[in-house]
Amino acid sequence: MSDCIFCKIVAGTIPSRKIYEDDQVLAFHDIQPAAPIHFLVIPKQHVASLNDCTSEHAALLSQVLLAVPKVARELGIAADGYRTILNTGAGGGQTVFHLHAHVLGGGVVRPMSDALPATN
Ligand code: 5GP
Ligand code: ZN
């Protein structure tokens, strides 16, 4: 997709700090890290979000997820653990509409209850 930031990162027209790449997926450091280690894993194929996935995307989704522990091991955070997040849609905090898994680690990741939306 021509106006998609992550497709441009895949194409190399926008630079990124790449960590891992194979035929199907790319992993690179998030430009605005929310943890000591914060990387993104994306499929090279443009898919806007999890909402756009069907059974036809099963292989692509498994490749994205299987790359997560691979890269986590490479960065030395697998043993301690890490959080994997897929924000979906504006209500889910998604700002870049090319499917991606966030991986956060390298420090103390707060419990999920701290990440819940504020309620009155
Ligand atoms: P979202 O909010 O869609 O779940 O996550 C998008 C993520 O992409 C954000 O954490 C943001 O910092 C990251 N991001 C946006 N533009 C770029 C970029 O040009 N390069 C890199 N490396 N990360 C980006
Ligand atoms: Zn894209």
Side-chain angles (χ1 to χ4, degrees), residues 6 17 28-34 38-40 102:
F6 287 177
R17 290 172 57 215
F28 54 96
H29 292 281
D30 197 292
I31 205 166
Q32 237 182 329
H38 181 180
F39 64 87
L40 304 172
H102 291 262

Side-chain angles (χ1 to χ4, degrees), residues 4 13-14 18 37 42 46 49 52 58 62 71 78 80 85 91 118 120:
C4 168
T13 53
I14 288 181
K18 285 182 194 174
I37 291 186
I42 67 169
H46 181 86
S49 83
D52 300 280
S62 87
V71 178
D80 280 349
I85 302 171
N120 292 323

